[in-house]
Amino acid sequence: MELKPLEEPLQDRILLEETFYVVTKKNNTFRVRLTSKGLHLIKESEHSVKEQLIPIKDIIGCQCLRSKKKAQNCTCQSLPRSDSLQVVQENSADLDDSDVSAYLYIYAYIFQASKHMNKKRERTIITLRFRSFDKYEDNNKEAQRWRCTIKKLLRGEIVSHSMLIDYSSVTRHKETQRLLILCNPKSGSGKGKQVFQQKVAPILNEAEIPYDLYMTKHYNFARDFVRSNSLAQWTGIIGVGGDGIIFEIINGLFERPDWAEMLRSIPIGVVPGGSGNGLARSIAHHCEEPYIPSPTLPAALAAVRGHSEAMDLVRVETVSHILFSFLSVGWGLLSDIDIESERLRMLGGTRFTVWSVARLIGLRSYKGKLWYIPSSISLSHSENVFHSPANKGNVLDLPPVVHLETEEGRPRVDSWYSARSRRSAYFSTGGSSYQSTTDSGLGDNVDSTNRRMYGPASQLPSLTASLPSGWQCIDGRFVMVHASYQTHLGEECLFAPEARLNDARIWLLIVKHGATRSQLLQFLLGLTTGAHAMNGNTDTSGYIELIPVNAFRIEPDMSQVGYMTVDGERVDYGPIQAEVFPALCRVMVP
């Protein structure tokens, strides 16, 4: 019987490979390999071999560029350093015709963990300079070969070596992804526009993702925009701001007759720029993605990678409105803090801390009835372990910017240098646009009074009808009742550690009258780490309880006025009920 050789696993097959060496150190050699796993940078010397893998999931994009024409210098000036390289698009009038090299810029955000287990992503740029041939066209063809292969891998396509042999078959792939960006410039401390321009737009441009940017001009602008305009031209909607703009986008989608198709086909992304940012923080927590010190990075990476997951929504019914909620429903202490601290909005997220102290001093309680249906879903969840870094003993320590180049003529050689990432230029993506209501007319002349809410039909009795048996009831006075379906209510508020994006559960926190200020202080402090919900830290007095439910109803005593909120937005004070609908929409995840 003839023995057949074992086939190499597809993910380990070398798709492209080049050999380089450092010009200043003749004994150091580099090999660059591209496999389905990612980009392998291998540094070889007489005594050691070190390798750094840049996983394909950490690469967001790549571009082929040309060197920029150098400014005229006096003859006495020394030669420019290699790290002063400037590049432009190949159709730019400023390109340097004397340089026939083609430059492939590869942008990656590599996960790293320090000795103290602080997770973060480090922006890294790999520059491959192709100059083996005498003509730019030939060098560009080789660079485009690498670029197109990386792009295919980023899109999740299976690439085999046989697809890469014919140089003449290299073609440019036209991106089909186009994003709608709705930015609230006044969110948080009034830096929404700045957050997008400085933190998000550069990453979209690196990934060559076109987008249309609209600045919101008034309350409910985003809601009216998605309700009244055709969304067929966009593959995703991103809200830049706080949780309020996401609330507008979601409820605007439910005011469309084609709501089901829109929610199924268009994922929603959130770039944190507000005071709370509960959903953005919850998504990062769900994906075990580093959120601090760069809160906008997980959202930007989610936007360019095109990944999305299903998320539960909660149908909320008040006496006068039907709403769809993604974050929380509140009555009492936390809602009081949320609404009354609006006057301190200029403080950003600090306003919640300041007003928490004020409300503890002037503690309130509210009389009413709470009804709920306990959840039958198990509370236990398996945890996904974030991938750990490889053994540092044989790992190549990459600088923020890596420049590799082939030498003129064969054999191909290379140079490696380090530069600060902040010196890297951002290139605008062709086809992207900025528009406002005055530029486009979109969002203008919209009748916001004639609203009709669509969506799935409720399975609960009407708000004015009595509830059937099986519902549990608590009748008394409450410091607060707060329901959430995300882990975080804000960046610093881990409300329900066991919550998941799509677990078909509402986490109901009940704080009864009688809890002391000391107990409430410990509870509020525990919200920072989730200690209030952990085993061994539950309240033994019976005043504080966190339970999973499928639906609930609150009937406040109307002789006392207070606040009720849905996703941080104030709603009419009065009876309110809510039920969870699993996997009703999709959100972008990194």
Side-chain angles (χ1 to χ4, degrees):
M1 182 179 63
E2 183 181 358
L3 296 177
K4 295 183 179 180
L6 294 175
E7 291 190 5
E8 187 179 14
L10 186 61
Q11 61 180 0
D12 294 326
R13 292 179 184 174
I14 299 175
L15 302 176
L16 293 169
E17 183 174 16
E18 294 286 354
T19 301
F20 308 93
Y21 72 89
V22 179
V23 175
T24 57
K25 296 181 180 180
K26 299 296 184 179
N27 293 331
N28 280 1
T29 304
F30 285 87
R31 281 182 289 130
V32 180
R33 291 176 178 171
L34 180 63
T35 69
S36 296
K37 286 183 177 180
L39 196 68
H40 303 253
L41 303 178
I42 306 169
K43 182 178 181 180
E44 297 179 340
S45 64
E46 293 181 354
H47 305 291
S48 65
V49 176
K50 293 186 177 182
E51 178 176 352
Q52 172 71 53
L53 169 64
I54 302 178
I56 199 68
K57 60 184 174 60
D58 289 347
I59 298 174
I60 66 165
C62 53
Q63 300 181 41
C64 285
L65 303 165
R66 293 196 67 174
S67 61
K68 185 178 180 179
K69 188 182 302 182
K70 295 181 177 62
Q72 295 295 328
N73 299 322
C74 65
T75 56
C76 62
Q77 184 172 345
S78 62
L79 292 174
R81 292 170 54 88
S82 61
D83 61 1
S84 64
L85 171 70
Q86 296 184 13
V87 290
V88 293
Q89 301 287 346
E90 64 176 353
N91 57 356
S92 172
D94 294 329
L95 62 84
D96 184 3
D97 290 324
S98 64
D99 186 359
V100 297
S101 305
Y103 298 87
L104 177 62
Y105 273 56
I106 303 172
Y107 306 99
Y109 290 79
I110 303 176
F111 172 80
Q112 295 181 347
S114 68
K115 295 179 180 179
H116 303 289
M117 297 304 293
N118 294 323
K119 302 173 184 177
K120 66 176 183 177
R121 287 196 177 273
E122 189 74 28
R123 179 173 182 263
T124 302
I125 302 175
I126 310 298
T127 305
L128 299 179
R129 183 183 183 185
F130 296 86
R131 57 175 184 171
S132 299
F133 303 99
D134 297 331
K135 295 181 179 180
Y136 165 74
E137 291 74 17
D138 294 330
N139 290 319
N140 183 54
K141 188 178 295 183
E142 183 74 357
Q144 290 289 350
R145 186 187 189 201
W146 281 70
R147 173 183 177 272
C148 292
T149 306
I150 293 174
K151 287 282 189 178
K152 287 178 179 290
L153 294 174
L154 292 179
R155 294 193 297 268
E157 299 180 18
I158 298 177
V159 181
S160 64
H161 189 272
S162 60
M163 300 170 59
L164 307 170
I165 296 176
D166 185 8
Y167 282 26
S168 63
S169 66
V170 173
T171 58
R172 298 193 179 195
H173 174 81
K174 184 178 180 181
E175 297 290 347
T176 58
Q177 189 177 1
R178 189 175 189 89
L179 300 174
L180 167 62
I181 314 291
L182 295 172
C183 177
N184 179 5
K186 296 183 179 181
S187 62
S189 54
K191 297 182 179 180
K193 182 178 179 181
Q194 181 180 348
V195 166
F196 176 79
Q197 291 178 334
Q198 296 183 0
K199 302 294 186 181
V200 182
I203 294 178
L204 294 177
N205 292 334
E206 287 175 352
E208 298 181 292
I209 303 296
Y211 59 87
D212 296 303
L213 171 64
Y214 293 87
M215 295 293 171
T216 62
K217 299 297 182 181
H218 52 77
Y219 175 69
N220 268 340
F221 172 87
R223 184 171 183 167
D224 295 334
F225 188 101
V226 299
R227 174 173 65 92
S228 57
N229 289 289
S230 171
L231 304 179
Q233 59 186 305
W234 295 297
T235 55
I237 303 175
I238 296 180
V240 182
D243 293 319
I245 195 168
I246 304 301
F247 178 81
E248 289 189 21
I249 291 172
I250 288 177
N251 282 277
L253 290 172
F254 277 104
E255 291 173 349
R256 300 174 60 99
D258 60 349
W259 63 272
E261 175 61 25
M262 292 298 98
L263 290 172
R264 182 168 54 249
S265 61
I266 301 182
I268 300 169
V270 51
V271 174
S275 301
N277 306 317
L279 180 58
R281 186 68 178 91
S282 296
I283 291 174
H285 181 83
H286 170 76
C287 299
E288 300 187 56
E289 187 71 23
Y291 187 81
I292 303 296
S294 182
T296 58
L297 184 57
L301 295 179
V304 302
R305 294 311 302 268
H307 295 165
S308 64
E309 287 190 17
M311 183 177 75
D312 301 339
L313 291 178
V314 170
R315 184 184 186 275
V316 180
E317 183 179 350
T318 70
V319 173
S320 57
H321 294 94
I322 294 175
L323 304 167
F324 283 87
S325 166
F326 64 90
L327 184 64
S328 65
V329 174
W331 173 44
L333 179 61
L334 290 185
S335 294
D336 293 348
I337 294 171
D338 197 0
I339 299 303
E340 294 176 352
S341 66
E342 283 285 338
R343 67 194 73 179
L344 304 177
R345 179 169 286 275
M346 75 291 296
L347 299 180
T350 307
R351 68 184 175 102
F352 300 117
T353 303
V354 173
W355 212 256
S356 295
V357 175
R359 284 277 55 85
L360 276 179
I361 295 173
L363 191 61
R364 304 167 184 162
S365 64
Y366 301 88
K367 190 177 187 312
K369 291 183 179 180
L370 170 65
W371 305 78
Y372 63 90
I373 303 176
S375 174
S376 59
I377 301 177
S378 173
L379 299 182
S380 61
H381 291 275
S382 60
E383 297 184 358
N384 296 321
V385 179
F386 203 93
H387 66 275
S388 57
N391 187 342
K392 297 295 287 185
N394 60 350
V395 171
L396 191 60
D397 188 16
L398 282 184
V401 178
V402 180
H403 181 83
L404 306 176
E405 60 183 40
T406 58
E407 192 176 28
E408 301 175 40
R410 299 179 184 274
R412 299 174 182 177
V413 296
D414 178 88
S415 66
W416 172 298
Y417 71 87
S418 172
R420 295 176 298 171
S421 60
R422 67 180 59 183
R423 294 193 55 176
S424 304
Y426 296 130
F427 304 97
S428 59
T429 304
S432 298
S433 66
Y434 160 79
Q435 294 179 334
S436 66
T437 51
T438 54
D439 295 329
S440 64
L442 293 177
D444 289 345
N445 302 320
V446 174
D447 181 10
S448 60
T449 60
N450 186 23
R451 298 185 184 279
R452 179 179 178 182
M453 186 64 73
Y454 297 88
S458 173
Q459 302 299 310
L460 305 182
S462 66
L463 191 57
T464 56
S466 59
L467 293 172
S469 59
W471 286 69
Q472 297 190 20
C473 178
I474 302 176
D475 187 355
R477 297 193 69 87
F478 302 87
V479 173
M480 63 173 282
V481 175
H482 213 92
S484 180
Y485 359 108
Q486 306 294 346
T487 55
H488 289 73
L489 292 180
E491 291 183 342
E492 306 266 339
C493 181
L494 181 52
F495 183 88
E498 292 290 327
R500 297 294 182 267
L501 291 177
N502 182 18
D503 60 2
R505 288 188 289 185
I506 299 172
W507 290 88
L508 193 62
L509 179 69
I510 306 166
V511 180
K512 301 174 185 176
H513 175 67
T516 65
R517 285 181 174 82
S518 175
Q519 289 173 320
L520 291 174
L521 177 60
Q522 291 300 316
F523 159 72
L524 291 175
L525 292 174
L527 286 174
T528 305
T529 60
H532 68 287
M534 296 180 182
N535 292 334
N537 290 284
T538 55
D539 176 58
T540 57
S541 65
Y543 290 118
I544 302 175
E545 189 176 10
L546 179 65
I547 56 176
V549 302
N550 293 324
F552 68 90
R553 176 188 289 185
I554 299 173
E555 297 177 349
D557 186 334
M558 297 304 292
S559 63
Q560 182 183 7
V561 178
Y563 298 107
M564 283 191 169
T565 57
V566 176
D567 295 348
E569 302 293 316
R570 186 178 178 180
V571 297
D572 296 336
Y573 190 77
I576 189 171
Q577 68 181 19
E579 61 187 305
V580 62
F581 282 85
L584 196 52
C585 75
R586 301 196 67 82
V587 290
M588 299 178 186
V589 297

